[in-house]
Amino acid sequence: MTEEAKIPLLGMTLMELKSVVAQIGMPVFFARQMADWIYVKKVASIDDMTNISVRNRRALNESYTIGCSAPIDKQCSADGTIKYLYRTAAGKYIETVYIPDDDRATLCVSSQVGCKMNCRFCMTGKQGFSGNLTAADILNQLYSLPERDALTNVVFMGQGEPMDNLDAVLRATEILVADYGYAWSPKRITVSTVGLKKGLKRFLDESECHLAVSMHNPFPEQRAELMPAEKGFGIREIVDVLKIYDFTHQRRLSFEYTMFEGVNDTEAHARELLRLLEGMECRLNLICFHPVPGVDLKGTSEEKMVRFRDFLTRHGLFTTIRASRGQDIYAACGLLSTAKQQGLEL
């Protein structure tokens, strides 16, 4: 069997690894040993699992592979941000962004190749949708990262809509928090969404990871002009669903708000945000817009963003301005992979 045809062990849960060892005729406890080799020791090859017999390793190698692959390109920013380009098992291209910040290091991972949501301001949406990532593709972004040992946090805010590929996202986050896996606290993981009704409810019921909702405009009609997903499941309905859940303990709820000059940065927008989010335990993250080719939107000035933040803060809504990173590289999501897919020089 060719290496490409083999089944990746990366991305398998402990139960799935138990099925693998059972098929080969290995004792069931070998599954946890394999999980340790993969998720703790992060081996690159089945042959590196030295406490498994040569015969069993040979049997595993016939049909399985670890499934890891190094990034094929990168762009480095003067501020330390690094955008990596990965080739998926299906031969597509995705981006991952490593963001160091003092004692923190966050990795922004992708969940799909392209995206169906087609948000007006997002380059990934302009690629169209090419397919879902597997759990192996998602985890490989951490597994094969040169700076993997420095990571403190992961955010699912890269290419794609996580709730549109929820099975793979939940499998990946399970492995990240499981005692047989990375053993991370769910507080180290944030999953972002534009708000897909079925996926959102399932995520809230099945995961304890933080949630970030892409809002970008509190007025439904205006939000629909930026985000077509508003027409299927509106921001007001999303907020109504979120109010059912408890965010006063470990899990954090945040709303993402990219600011566009003259589009969503007026006092009227600020007051509607206060009305919409009244009584909710949440935070609002204001984001500087990175220009995208062919998009007729301009980012709000830093001075105006500060006034917007201060107005909301004075009125009781915890609001922050997210530091803009990687502006001297292909910073906006989707630019690097689009360039690669179109055969442009990087």
Side-chain angles (χ1 to χ4, degrees):
M1 182 180 292
T2 64
E3 194 68 22
E4 291 77 13
K6 293 181 181 180
I7 301 169
L9 296 173
L10 180 64
M12 286 192 181
T13 64
L14 184 60
M15 288 298 296
E16 290 167 329
L17 291 173
K18 287 180 179 179
S19 296
V20 169
V21 300
Q23 291 168 8
I24 294 176
M26 298 165 61
V28 68
F29 69 85
F30 274 101
R32 187 167 282 274
Q33 290 185 340
M34 286 170 60
D36 182 70
W37 280 113
I38 298 167
Y39 299 123
V40 179
K41 298 182 175 70
K42 300 179 179 64
V43 294
S45 167
I46 289 171
D47 290 327
D48 294 332
M49 300 180 181
T50 53
N51 63 348
I52 295 176
S53 70
V54 172
R55 181 179 65 83
N56 283 328
R57 277 183 273 157
R58 188 179 299 120
L60 282 169
N61 270 311
E62 288 179 3
S63 301
Y64 297 94
T65 182
I66 296 298
C68 57
S69 60
I72 63 169
D73 210 333
K74 68 178 181 179
Q75 293 282 330
C76 300
S77 169
D79 65 17
T81 300
I82 306 174
K83 174 171 276 194
Y84 286 103
L85 187 70
Y86 283 92
R87 190 175 186 271
T88 70
K92 304 293 184 179
Y93 299 100
I94 56 169
E95 301 171 12
T96 304
V97 183
Y98 173 73
I99 309 167
D101 185 16
D102 295 329
D103 60 345
R104 289 168 58 93
T106 300
L107 191 69
C108 180
V109 300
S110 296
S111 57
Q112 293 181 311
V113 183
C115 186
K116 301 174 187 175
M117 301 300 109
N118 197 26
C119 295
R120 179 179 165 192
F121 49 86
C122 180
M123 192 68 190
T124 301
K126 300 185 184 309
Q127 291 181 7
F129 176 71
S130 298
N132 287 325
L133 297 187
T134 64
D137 288 325
I138 293 172
L139 288 173
N140 182 58
Q141 295 168 71
L142 290 80
Y143 200 89
S144 299
L145 186 79
E147 298 83 6
R148 66 187 182 188
D149 293 335
L151 289 179
T152 61
N153 298 82
V154 169
V155 294
F156 285 73
M157 295 182 181
Q159 294 174 268
E161 165 54 52
M163 303 299 167
D164 192 42
N165 186 22
L166 193 54
D167 284 341
V169 168
L170 286 176
R171 183 181 298 187
T173 56
E174 175 189 331
I175 291 167
L176 287 173
V177 303
D179 63 351
Y180 66 80
Y182 281 64
W184 281 18
S185 164
K187 294 188 293 183
R188 297 173 64 178
I189 305 165
T190 300
V191 178
S192 176
T193 181
V194 301
L196 298 185
K197 189 171 187 178
K198 185 177 179 181
L200 177 61
K201 289 182 175 179
R202 184 180 164 203
F203 173 79
L204 289 167
D205 290 335
E206 297 184 22
S207 173
E208 296 181 353
C209 298
H210 295 323
L211 175 69
V213 176
S214 297
M215 180 188 290
H216 310 300
N217 203 306
F219 294 109
E221 299 81 6
Q222 295 179 20
R223 186 172 186 260
E225 293 178 2
L226 293 171
M227 306 171 67
E230 166 70 25
K231 299 170 185 176
F233 187 42
I235 190 61
R236 291 174 181 168
E237 295 174 87
I238 293 170
V239 169
D240 286 342
V241 169
L242 294 173
K243 285 181 176 178
I244 299 171
Y245 293 85
D246 183 4
F247 292 97
T248 60
H249 299 294
Q250 288 196 358
R251 173 183 274 179
R252 185 176 68 232
L253 170 64
S254 59
F255 290 90
E256 307 296 295
Y257 199 90
T258 303
M259 298 195 69
F260 307 104
E261 178 67 38
V263 174
N264 64 351
D265 58 356
T266 69
E267 184 175 321
H269 291 95
R271 291 191 180 279
E272 181 63 13
L273 284 167
L274 292 171
R275 189 202 64 78
L276 183 64
L277 303 180
E278 184 179 8
M280 297 186 71
E281 186 71 26
C282 65
R283 67 174 63 188
L284 184 74
N285 294 321
L286 305 181
I287 302 168
C288 177
F289 174 58
H290 288 292
V292 171
V295 174
D296 58 345
L297 292 168
K298 288 180 58 180
T300 299
S301 69
E302 182 179 355
E303 180 183 359
K304 195 169 184 179
M305 288 180 71
V306 169
R307 291 201 304 268
F308 197 87
R309 177 201 63 192
D310 291 348
F311 178 88
L312 293 171
T313 301
R314 284 198 308 270
H315 289 82
L317 178 57
F318 180 35
T319 306
T320 63
I321 297 176
R322 182 180 295 165
S324 186
R325 302 294 299 268
Q327 293 190 76
D328 55 334
I329 58 174
Y330 284 82
C333 187
L335 287 177
L336 183 57
S337 58
T338 297
K340 182 66 176 180
Q341 288 172 190
Q342 294 178 353
L344 302 177
E345 185 175 345
L346 301 175

